[in-house]
Amino acid sequence: MNEFDLQLVDGSMLHCYDTGAGQGRTVFWHHGTPNTGPPPAPLFPAAEQLGIRWVSYDRPGYGGSSPRPGRDMASAASYVDAVADALGIDRFAVMGHSSGAAHALACAALLPHRVLGVVGVAALAPFDSDGLDWFAGMAESGVDTLRAAAAGRRVKEQHQIDHGDEYDPEFTPADLAALGGSWSWLMDVVRAAGSNGPGPAIDDDLANVSPWGFDPAEVAAPVILLHGQRDRVAPPAHGQWLADRCPDSELRLYPGEGHISVLTHAADAL
């Protein structure tokens, strides 16, 4: 894996990852919260069989990337555009998990000339989604932290001070099995994300409850959405809302899966 820092036009730095040129297809990976950006090692065997090159980056504030408070979901398109230009990659697909799924959709909506397709895993819908009870089915801890974010940065930062790491995503037994098995890799990127403090995750949560900067209906590329029906972090109604909104979409619902274990189906989506 090649890691490099890319200086953007505003002078900020983006820490990037690239599994290497010479393969036929490129997929940009968009990480969840709180993670750093290395591409998903559990999917490397499937990617090798398919001839897929992974490219990704630490979202601003995480890992080696400069902070950018106030960033929205749409900002991902400018980062991916810059990284693709730097690597000489014309067209590519995008894949994201959890909060990363919205960033992947942003690229498809705002870079239609470059994005060939989207995989969104355990995605949240926009906070202002018409006809969606946004908090319904969400774990109590998730409701508390995202309601604090919706009240503004100061309230969210105070919530972080008061509660720290007291967050229960209500993972299912299948989630815990995945974290103890093939997707134990996630614990590595979660630990790495913590080295920069809570700021990047706060920025992610604020982006989750703010206008995205694009409409999922603008995504012309084909979209595959994977969702566990027992997901308490991003309830499955969010996946259904996005599937109804994106013009060319397929929703794959998995009855026994949660927020993490649904990733075990990601190789099929590739």
Side-chain angles (χ1 to χ4, degrees):
M1 177 120 60
N2 177 38
E3 298 187 33
F4 62 97
D5 292 323
L6 178 65
Q7 186 170 14
L8 303 175
V9 293
D10 63 0
S12 63
M13 301 299 294
L14 205 63
H15 189 71
C16 306
Y17 307 82
D18 178 12
T19 59
Q23 300 197 54
R25 306 170 179 89
T26 297
V27 178
F28 271 81
W29 169 254
H30 295 267
H31 65 81
T33 305
N35 297 173
T36 51
L43 295 179
F44 283 4
E48 184 175 357
Q49 290 180 355
L50 294 167
I52 286 174
R53 171 186 183 178
W54 290 105
V55 178
S56 59
Y57 62 93
D58 296 330
R59 210 152 43 239
Y62 288 108
S65 294
S66 304
R68 186 185 170 186
R71 56 180 166 81
D72 60 9
M73 300 299 185
S75 64
S78 63
Y79 302 135
V80 166
D81 206 32
V83 176
D85 282 349
L87 294 174
I89 299 169
D90 182 25
R91 306 197 71 192
F92 45 83
V94 289
M95 184 179 209
H97 174 236
S98 193
S99 62
H103 292 86
L105 287 168
C107 295
L110 301 174
L111 303 173
H113 57 295
R114 304 193 83 159
V115 174
L116 297 165
V118 186
V119 177
V121 186
L124 283 168
F127 191 60
D128 57 356
S129 299
D130 292 337
L132 175 66
D133 185 348
W134 204 79
F135 289 109
M138 195 176 290
E140 183 178 351
S141 292
V143 173
D144 289 345
T145 193
L146 290 169
R147 284 197 187 279
R153 179 176 291 275
R154 184 175 299 178
V155 174
K156 172 61 180 173
E157 289 175 343
Q158 186 60 51
H159 184 274
Q160 180 66 34
I161 292 170
D162 293 342
H163 297 277
D165 295 329
E166 296 175 8
Y167 173 73
D168 180 7
E170 299 184 20
F171 285 152
T172 67
D175 287 329
L176 298 177
L179 286 170
S182 60
W183 283 92
S184 61
W185 166 85
L186 277 170
M187 302 310 298
D188 296 333
V189 294
V190 168
R191 282 190 290 268
S195 64
N196 287 9
I202 289 174
D203 291 334
D204 275 353
D205 282 347
L206 291 169
N208 277 321
V209 297
S210 300
W212 278 11
F214 72 96
D215 186 336
E218 300 167 354
V219 177
V223 177
I224 296 176
L225 296 163
L226 311 182
H227 226 107
Q229 288 188 328
R230 298 185 64 192
D231 192 334
R232 297 274 285 156
V233 178
H238 288 245
Q240 185 64 64
W241 189 95
L242 286 167
D244 291 341
R245 190 74 175 178
C246 297
D248 184 3
S249 64
E250 174 189 350
L251 176 62
R252 300 180 183 180
L253 282 172
Y254 299 94
E257 308 293 13
H259 194 69
I260 304 299
S261 64
V262 70
L263 283 163
T264 61
H265 301 278
D268 291 337
L270 281 179

